[in-house]
Amino acid sequence: MILRKKQLLTTLFMSVCLLQTPMLMAASDMRTEQVQFKKGTSSAVISSSIKGYEMVDYELRANAGQVMNTSLATKHGATYFNILAPGENETAMFVGSTSGQQFEGVLPKTGIYKIRVYMMRSAARRNEVASYRLEIIISGKATKTTSHDAKVVGTPYHATGKIPCTAMSGQPMGTCQFGVKRQGNGNALVTVTHNNGKKRVIIFQNGRATGYDQSQADHPKFSSSKDSDLNIIKIGSERYEIPDAVVYGG
């Protein structure tokens, strides 16, 4: 009886270890590096590589109103970079897989920016290796952000409401709830919630929709166009119509 109890405890212990191992491995796949410009310069060039599910966060401090120019050169067709604004850990203000391998724009906030280099899952699960060259340039003087909105009580958003939307092509337009976090200068994150609870975070830069948060499992095609002051956004079979007033306020 005692032997059987010992065997059971051993089995349970091994099961817990096996369940925890993927979590520990996932945590070790992310590393953080501080970007330091050489004295008298405002740029840095980093040459490195990643393998499989490895990701690197390059962190640097910049001020609202400054211009960031970041580009990634790699021969690996499934390696990209995202840019995360200060205080963000998941939602990116720039998504390389939909917007390309170069970002240039006015920074909306003062603080620590993360430039996250990663490999798409299709290549990561094959444990491929990608070498890359990352160039970061910060220029211009700091200015005060133009967003002074008060938050909607009880929410993290500067404004909430409804926008026209549809989840499937060919279906009539309905409405979806939205919440917007304005970052100034036409930069914003618009979170849209469908009636079934599904969410999309749409990224605006300088008043234009440039991508969406791809932390979800699906990665449908993104496109956007403008009709006067209306942003028409398509993500796979989904369609959203977001007025400029949502992004800028007023």
Side-chain angles (χ1 to χ4, degrees):
M1 187 70 177
I2 294 175
L3 181 59
R4 289 184 64 187
K5 285 184 177 179
K6 286 184 177 180
Q7 289 174 335
L8 180 59
L9 289 171
T10 301
T11 302
L12 288 171
F13 175 76
M14 291 299 293
S15 298
V16 171
C17 288
L18 288 170
L19 287 171
Q20 288 180 338
T21 298
M23 295 173 66
L24 294 172
M25 289 176 65
S28 67
D29 287 340
M30 170 68 81
R31 72 177 189 268
T32 300
E33 296 187 12
Q34 305 299 318
V35 178
Q36 299 289 339
F37 296 158
K38 291 182 179 179
K39 189 175 181 179
T41 69
S42 58
S43 65
V45 176
I46 300 162
S47 296
S48 189
S49 65
I50 54 174
K51 181 178 180 181
Y53 287 99
E54 290 179 347
M55 292 187 289
V56 188
D57 271 359
Y58 293 100
E59 294 187 343
L60 76 160
R61 183 174 182 83
N63 297 316
Q66 289 187 301
V67 175
M68 177 186 287
N69 190 325
T70 303
S71 60
L72 182 74
T74 178
K75 293 181 179 179
H76 191 270
T79 295
Y80 300 95
F81 73 94
N82 292 350
I83 300 177
L84 288 78
E88 293 288 349
N89 291 315
E90 298 297 334
T91 303
M93 59 178 272
F94 173 85
V95 178
S97 60
T98 57
S99 300
Q101 297 289 40
Q102 181 170 9
F103 165 83
E104 183 174 9
V106 178
L107 298 178
K109 298 170 68 175
T110 295
I112 303 298
Y113 285 82
K114 297 185 182 76
I115 301 171
R116 179 169 296 170
V117 179
Y118 63 96
M119 192 181 297
M120 299 295 281
R121 275 184 213 172
S122 56
R125 61 172 167 253
R126 293 192 293 267
N127 214 31
E128 295 180 9
V129 176
S131 298
Y132 59 85
R133 180 179 181 272
L134 181 70
E135 183 173 10
I136 306 165
I137 303 170
I138 302 292
S139 60
K141 295 181 180 180
T143 61
K144 291 184 178 179
T145 179
T146 59
S147 178
H148 302 284
D149 293 338
K151 296 286 180 69
V152 176
V153 177
T155 79
Y157 302 116
H158 294 108
T160 58
K162 292 185 177 182
I163 58 165
C165 73
T166 182
M168 296 292 292
S169 58
Q171 288 186 348
M173 296 290 284
T175 59
C176 292
Q177 293 285 341
F178 80 84
V180 58
K181 294 181 182 179
R182 299 186 183 116
Q183 300 168 333
N185 304 315
N187 301 319
L189 299 174
V190 180
T191 301
V192 183
T193 305
H194 289 267
N195 292 332
N196 62 3
K198 182 179 180 179
K199 293 180 183 291
R200 286 288 188 202
V201 180
I202 301 171
I203 301 160
F204 282 80
Q205 295 175 310
N206 300 319
R208 293 272 181 176
T210 59
Y212 67 98
D213 174 25
Q214 295 194 22
S215 62
Q216 295 173 274
D218 61 335
H219 296 92
K221 184 179 178 180
F222 173 89
S223 66
S224 70
S225 60
K226 291 205 74 162
D227 182 2
S228 186
D229 63 347
L230 187 67
N231 298 276
I232 301 169
I233 298 152
K234 295 180 181 178
I235 303 175
S237 61
E238 303 162 18
R239 177 185 169 102
Y240 305 93
E241 296 182 359
I242 301 178
D244 281 347
V246 169
V247 178
Y248 289 98

